[in-house]
Amino acid sequence: MSSLPLLLPTHPAKPTNYPAWQPRRYLQPPQPPVVDDQRVHDLELAVQRQLLDGKALKKTRPRRTVDYAGGMGRWALLRKLQSSPRYVPYIRPSPPYIIDLIPPKAYPDNASTSLCTKFIHTSTNKIRCPVNAVTWTPEGRRILTGSTSGEFTAWNGLTFNFETILQAHDTAIRALTFNHAGTYIASADQSGIVKYFQPNMNNLTAWPAHREAVRGLSFSPDDARFATASDDSTVRVWSFAESREERVLTGHGWDVKCVEWHPTMGLLVSGSKDNLVKFWDPRTGTALTTLHQHKNTIQALAWAPHGNLLASASRDQTVRVFDIRSMKEWAVLRGHKKEVCSLAWHPVHPILVSGGSEGAILHWDLSSPTAGTPASIFPTPPSASATSHHGGASPSALVLSAPAPQIPPRATLSQAHDSNVWALVFHPLGHLLVSASNDHTTRFWARERPGDAASVFAHGGAKPAAAAPDDDADGEQEDED
């Protein structure tokens, strides 16, 4: 068997000695960015259109996205790549390390990462009037506000600009909330009318629920019922599907200013102008027990996410926290110079935020050494024996064995607003805070950046910049370019 011939070139090519590539562009001085001719042309046309229409030229500035998604993408990447599930990157005090700032849920033992004290943006309607209620949509992409003019206004939760507006009520909106499933919106107004809306703002039904203004509205854990509090001194329990009144809770001697349903149990709590905080059994309509610690009108109530602590805000300039398992006053929070109007618990950390009529927003860290250990703040859910205690609370159970500790505020925004802060709400992830005020504005607050010297909190509560005329006014906001 003959071997195959080996085919080789008769004159193989010699290797060429090319010079090795060396980077040199970094040695050049910085160059201006490349000009986009099409973009410049579009801007010139926009300016000419404004001049032809006789409108004043608006300053074109970009809307910067702040704390986008709370760092969720970064956190998911870390959990996938790191061998230890408990690894948390150390936040160095320098602005470039902002990429290491991940959601508050990733810092279970560090409540300081949830202090939303950095001012971001002010949103104002064209029809300027007090904003009484505010809530995040369930997916956390938009903010819905209710104002004294009876309008719903939706703001973008990413760029904080105007999206849509709806004339929902004929009188001032006093209460506004989503149900727990996020499928419906319930709102109530000054004339006592309650309305249902779908998330696309389609009005389903409306009926007069009270003879006077409805001040509070809260859904039961299963969304089958909701409770309303009114200036007619009553709390009413309604069937959501049938819009039917099931119970009338009478016992307050004056206007009922707020009502909240327990996050997991059949337990209602209401606060009134008669200085009392009352607990109710919504099944029978009976009053279980009463708290007498406040010396003036109860303005707001808020359950902690785990349901063991209840915070109450009053016109006596204090916020008090009660432990419902022992029915004792757990802490007294003093720091407001005038009456306290609103409350909000952080969804992850033991942080309570309160808003006062002097325009201040105070952050209270209940995991501080003064307040006790974090384990006492977020304990395990109450047992059946603890829940059965509500029915048999005797007056002797309200006698305090020791005075409640007084906790100083962790962060103070002394000039957050120019008037009463009527509503506060945290983003579902906990990285943004929204405040609605009597000064006709809705303001957004974020966590501080690492090493940010211009932070509001670092400078002791600087006053936010005033909104420009017609800024964000019903779709006539400035050019996003």
Side-chain angles (χ1 to χ4, degrees), residues 70-71 74-75 78 86-92 97-114 346 348-351 367 429-431 447-448 450:
R74 179 74 172 174
W75 189 33
L78 284 174
R86 297 185 179 181
Y87 171 78
V88 175
Y90 177 73
I91 304 176
R92 294 168 176 82
Y97 289 96
I98 186 176
I99 62 170
D100 290 333
L101 193 64
I102 49 182
K105 190 174 179 63
Y107 306 101
D109 301 325
N110 187 359
S112 65
T113 58
S114 296
H346 192 273
V348 177
H349 289 132
I351 287 180
S367 64
L429 293 178
H431 67 292
R447 300 180 291 174
E448 293 185 17

Side-chain angles (χ1 to χ4, degrees), residues 27-76:
L27 299 175
Q28 300 176 1
Q31 301 295 324
V34 179
V35 178
D36 188 350
D37 296 334
Q38 183 62 35
R39 182 185 181 87
V40 172
H41 180 66
D42 293 342
L43 289 176
E44 290 176 351
L45 289 178
V47 170
Q48 292 175 5
R49 281 196 299 268
Q50 287 187 351
L51 290 174
L52 291 175
D53 295 339
K55 294 183 178 179
L57 291 178
K58 291 185 178 181
K59 182 181 178 182
T60 58
R61 59 178 176 82
R63 283 277 175 76
R64 291 185 301 171
T65 298
V66 182
D67 210 356
Y68 171 67
M72 286 297 295
R74 179 74 172 174
W75 189 33

Side-chain angles (χ1 to χ4, degrees), residues 183-200:
T183 53
Y184 296 99
I185 309 167
S187 61
D189 63 16
Q190 180 73 25
S191 59
I193 294 176
V194 173
K195 291 188 177 184
Y196 296 162
F197 294 87
Q198 291 176 318
N200 62 0

Side-chain angles (χ1 to χ4, degrees), residues 70-339:
M72 286 297 295
R74 179 74 172 174
W75 189 33
L77 189 64
L78 284 174
R79 287 189 296 173
K80 185 175 182 179
L81 298 181
Q82 296 298 332
S83 57
S84 172
R86 297 185 179 181
Y87 171 78
V88 175
Y90 177 73
I91 304 176
R92 294 168 176 82
S94 178
Y97 289 96
I98 186 176
I99 62 170
D100 290 333
L101 193 64
I102 49 182
K105 190 174 179 63
Y107 306 101
D109 301 325
N110 187 359
S112 65
T113 58
S114 296
L115 300 175
C116 296
T117 53
K118 181 175 176 58
F119 170 70
I120 305 174
H121 188 69
T122 298
S123 296
T124 310
N125 277 343
K126 179 183 289 185
I127 302 176
R128 298 179 182 269
C129 58
V131 185
N132 299 326
V134 62
T135 183
W136 283 90
T137 56
E139 77 280 0
R141 294 184 180 182
R142 293 173 183 83
I143 303 96
L144 191 64
T145 62
S147 62
T148 304
S149 61
E151 295 172 333
F152 283 169
T153 308
W155 305 95
N156 190 296
L158 188 61
T159 55
F160 315 111
N161 56 340
F162 170 85
E163 285 205 348
T164 187
I165 194 166
L166 170 71
Q167 187 66 44
H169 288 262
D170 296 330
T171 57
I173 297 173
R174 296 296 178 188
L176 169 66
T177 183
F178 277 85
N179 63 350
H180 294 89
T183 53
Y184 296 99
I185 309 167
S187 61
D189 63 16
Q190 180 73 25
S191 59
I193 294 176
V194 173
K195 291 188 177 184
Y196 296 162
F197 294 87
Q198 291 176 318
N200 62 0
M201 302 299 179
N202 179 34
N203 182 213
L204 298 177
T205 185
W207 77 96
H210 290 267
R211 297 188 305 273
E212 297 185 34
V214 178
R215 297 289 179 175
L217 193 152
S218 181
F219 277 93
S220 65
D222 60 356
D223 292 335
R225 293 166 182 83
F226 66 94
T228 56
S230 171
D231 284 350
D232 62 8
S233 306
T234 64
V235 176
R236 298 173 189 261
V237 180
W238 303 84
S239 170
F240 178 78
E242 303 174 13
S243 304
R244 175 177 52 86
E245 180 185 290
E246 292 188 349
R247 296 281 183 276
V248 180
L249 313 181
T250 57
H252 282 292
W254 214 340
D255 303 353
V256 186
K257 294 297 183 182
C258 47
V259 64
E260 293 293 335
W261 207 302
H262 192 278
T264 58
M265 296 188 297
L267 178 66
L268 277 174
V269 62
S270 61
S272 171
K273 202 173 179 179
D274 59 7
N275 312 346
L276 302 180
V277 176
K278 283 184 173 289
F279 291 85
W280 307 86
D281 184 350
R283 302 175 186 84
T284 62
T286 57
L288 301 177
T289 188
T290 305
L291 303 178
H292 300 264
Q293 276 78 0
H294 282 288
K295 301 298 185 289
N296 210 325
T297 304
I298 312 298
Q299 295 273 71
L301 295 167
W303 290 103
H306 51 71
N308 290 340
L309 298 181
L310 172 72
S312 60
S314 171
R315 284 184 178 170
D316 60 12
Q317 304 179 15
T318 65
V319 177
R320 297 175 187 263
V321 182
F322 300 94
D323 189 338
I324 67 166
R325 294 167 297 178
S326 59
M327 280 297 166
K328 290 185 178 180
E329 190 177 62
W330 188 83
V332 181
L333 312 179
R334 301 181 189 274
H336 284 280
K337 298 177 182 177
K338 291 186 179 180
E339 61 188 68

